[in-house]
Amino acid sequence: MDEKTSEASVAVLFEEHRPRLRAVAYRMLGSLTEADDAVQETWLRLDRTDAAEIANLGGWLTTVIGRICLNLLRSREQRREDPLEIRIPDPVISREDGTAGADPEQEALLVDSVGLAMLVVLQSLGPAERLAFVLHDMFHVPFDDIAPLIEKTPAATRQLASRARRRVQGAAPAPDPDLARQRVAVDAFFAAARDGDFEALVSVLDPDVVLRSDGGTARTGLSVLIRGARTVAAQATSWGKLSPFAFPALINGVAGVVVVPQKQPVSVMSFTVVEGRITTIEVLADPERLRRLDLSVLGAA
């Protein structure tokens, strides 16, 4: 009886940590499905361990899921045939009015507004760099606890995180904190696209804007990387006919749209707006992944 009670207590404690563990795994892997698998594997390892011997359960769980994610990243790196492939991480979609924020797991995923642009940059980091940056900078895990996971000294781990931090800050600037200001820029973008107004499009784009589009294996022609305001504007003029079907949403906490022309989404677009101009556009246009999205949070739209 006491043993069953103890097992139940451990399960309850684990559920309290689940949102944070899922958030760690999502930032590490950029995949909601793989994040859920990593959380489940963490639970299985806890279930095989004598919880009474764990002094700090939260810290133990965080290091375990960090190790699981590190192994997944290393395995993924070995399998990848094309290092230049464009992969947009799984988006976290919520309503712009914030009514979908009651789910603690959703809130944990969106804390610190880790946008798709930052997750794309994190994908470019090596597994050890990514682990050091995510665990320390995002979840405040001490370097002394991270170092054994990557078999480095705490000082070397600190250097990895510092290097990753510089790359993230350089390639993924923090978006304007004012969501209304973000939405003004996105609305201006689609209005100009709808009207075919090339110069208006250029004016709302940062001169060094980057557009990334992931069409998956089914739509390889939509997997592109485009840089520069005039080049991106030329591409965007072809999206004018989709403007009436672009429903406003928050994509990973920043202004974006879900394009749904006939009850089935054809793209999810996330915009990073800095000082009133769009600096990055991330487009998920992979039909297979779009079909798996839960758009119920958007309601009737």
Side-chain angles (χ1 to χ4, degrees), residues 184-199:
V184 167
V186 174
D187 287 348
F189 173 87
F190 279 101
R194 182 190 61 232
D195 297 339
D197 190 335
F198 182 81
E199 293 303 327

Side-chain angles (χ1 to χ4, degrees), residues 95-100 250:
R95 290 174 64 95
E96 208 162 33
D97 58 14
T99 56
L250 292 183

Side-chain angles (χ1 to χ4, degrees), residues 59-205:
W60 186 90
L61 291 171
T62 300
T63 55
V64 167
I65 202 164
R67 184 178 291 109
I68 291 169
C69 291
L70 181 65
N71 290 338
L72 285 171
L73 288 176
R74 286 171 171 168
S75 175
R76 184 192 292 175
E77 201 171 58
Q78 291 171 356
R79 295 195 311 267
R80 182 175 295 168
E81 296 179 2
D82 182 3
L84 300 178
E85 67 181 0
I86 297 172
R87 169 80 177 181
I88 299 298
D90 290 345
V92 179
I93 303 171
S94 54
R95 290 174 64 95
E96 208 162 33
D97 58 14
T99 56
D103 181 354
E105 289 201 15
Q106 186 90 341
E107 289 179 347
L109 288 178
L110 293 175
V111 72
D112 298 328
S113 294
V114 181
L116 291 183
M118 177 181 282
L119 289 173
V120 167
V121 177
L122 289 180
Q123 288 180 157
S124 69
L125 303 177
E129 269 186 313
R130 189 165 181 171
L131 182 75
F133 176 78
V134 169
L135 290 189
H136 180 266
D137 283 44
M138 296 183 175
F139 294 95
H140 314 295
V141 178
F143 288 121
D144 287 349
D145 294 342
I146 302 171
L149 299 178
I150 55 177
E151 300 177 341
K152 292 186 179 296
T153 65
T157 304
R158 182 187 298 274
Q159 290 179 342
L160 280 178
S162 178
R163 188 167 63 202
R165 190 180 307 120
R166 289 194 297 271
R167 290 180 63 181
V168 169
Q169 291 172 346
D176 284 344
D178 187 344
L179 281 172
R181 192 177 185 191
Q182 293 182 32
R183 181 55 58 189
V184 167
V186 174
D187 287 348
F189 173 87
F190 279 101
R194 182 190 61 232
D195 297 339
D197 190 335
F198 182 81
E199 293 303 327
L201 276 167
V202 171
S203 70
V204 78
L205 297 171

